[in-house]
Amino acid sequence: MAACASESSNRGDVPSRDLQQSSVAMSPESCLGGVEKASLDPSAYRIQPGDQLAIDFYLNSEFNDNVTVQPDGRIVLRLVGPVQASGLSAAQLSDSINKAYSRELKNPSATVHVQNMPSRQVFVQGQVNHPGAFALQPGMTALQAIASAGGHTDQAAMDDVVLIRRDGCGRADGSKLDLADASQNPEKGEDVMLMPHDTLVVPRSKIANVDLFVKQYIRDVLPVEPYLSPAIP
């Protein structure tokens, strides 16, 4: 039993006292305003600094461009200059670009595609073959993240997977996902779309109290950056 407990701890599906970290919360002004709900709709994603975008003009392909969102949240486009991108969905940014080009082109018909989010990661722990951090691809779901981690082990309780999500102040919210049904019947399962810095924990057995589990997990295991910063000695 001791060996099993040790293996489970190493996989990150139970809290470990050795991983405890000291931290201080960000100021309330820096908060994001609450934990966002998971969604299967890719349009729910909000563009962030560092994201790489492809902009296509259906009727004016000579203006097609690939841009990276600057640290100030803007992109720079030919003829029109800076356009705010951070915080918008791809569809909303498309509308902004169309408005910006309305004086230059009769019918811009711009479409924005999020190609890569190099600074964004998700974490997969517990009963998977290769626990760790993985690049968050546009529209990546919980099952896709588990596949990136080498798939689940034979001991995994896929009907009781825990999704942990933080807001900007470090407050965490946990919810259970039934991914056993999702893998067999995607339309009826709970294979949600992930967001930057989400953590998936695939347990070995059923978790009776998810709130208690999350409180213990975020205290001892869950990666805290960039939401929390190290305490000053």
Side-chain angles (χ1 to χ4, degrees):
M1 292 294 291
C4 291
S6 175
E7 179 184 354
S8 182
S9 179
N10 290 338
R11 288 182 178 276
D13 53 348
V14 296
S16 169
R17 297 295 179 187
D18 295 336
L19 296 177
Q20 207 163 11
Q21 304 183 46
S22 298
S23 58
V24 293
M26 294 172 58
S27 64
E29 292 78 13
S30 300
C31 295
L32 295 180
V35 177
E36 298 183 59
K37 298 297 183 182
S39 172
L40 272 175
D41 183 3
S43 66
Y45 178 74
R46 294 297 182 264
I47 294 167
Q48 300 292 331
D51 288 355
Q52 297 170 0
L53 312 176
I55 302 174
D56 296 329
F57 291 82
Y58 179 65
L59 298 177
N60 303 274
S61 59
E62 65 273 19
F63 288 95
N64 290 356
D65 205 353
N66 292 287
V67 297
T68 299
V69 182
Q70 300 177 150
D72 63 3
R74 300 187 298 175
I75 57 175
V76 178
L77 302 175
R78 286 174 286 175
L79 296 182
V80 300
V83 175
Q84 180 64 32
S86 180
L88 302 179
S89 67
Q92 289 171 333
L93 179 55
S94 297
D95 290 341
S96 295
I97 293 173
N98 285 331
K99 291 177 182 178
Y101 274 96
S102 62
R103 294 184 179 181
E104 307 294 338
L105 302 173
K106 183 176 181 180
N107 186 7
S109 299
T111 303
V112 175
H113 305 279
V114 180
Q115 289 190 313
N116 194 17
M117 299 172 284
S119 64
R120 320 207 105 55
Q121 292 182 317
V122 293
F123 304 89
V124 185
Q125 300 292 332
Q127 296 301 311
V128 293
N129 290 305
H130 303 292
F134 303 89
L136 176 63
Q137 302 300 324
M140 176 181 271
T141 67
L143 278 178
Q144 290 170 341
I146 291 173
S148 296
H152 62 81
T153 68
D154 293 338
Q155 292 78 34
M158 289 294 288
D159 59 347
D160 220 38
V161 175
V162 176
L163 168 64
I164 303 176
R165 178 169 294 167
R166 286 182 180 269
D167 66 14
C169 284
R171 293 187 296 262
D173 179 64
S175 56
K176 290 185 180 181
L177 303 177
D178 184 352
L179 297 183
D181 284 346
S183 60
Q184 299 174 4
N185 194 341
E187 295 183 357
K188 295 184 178 180
E190 299 175 352
D191 188 19
V192 299
M193 189 178 76
L194 300 180
M195 301 182 69
H197 306 288
D198 278 353
T199 294
L200 286 173
V201 185
V202 183
R204 181 188 295 270
S205 57
K206 186 174 181 63
I207 296 174
N209 188 327
V210 67
D211 292 333
L212 178 61
F213 176 86
V214 170
K215 287 180 181 179
Q216 294 175 338
Y217 198 86
I218 63 175
R219 182 183 61 203
D220 297 333
V221 178
L222 186 64
V224 295
E225 295 182 351
Y227 307 99
L228 304 177
S229 56
I232 299 176

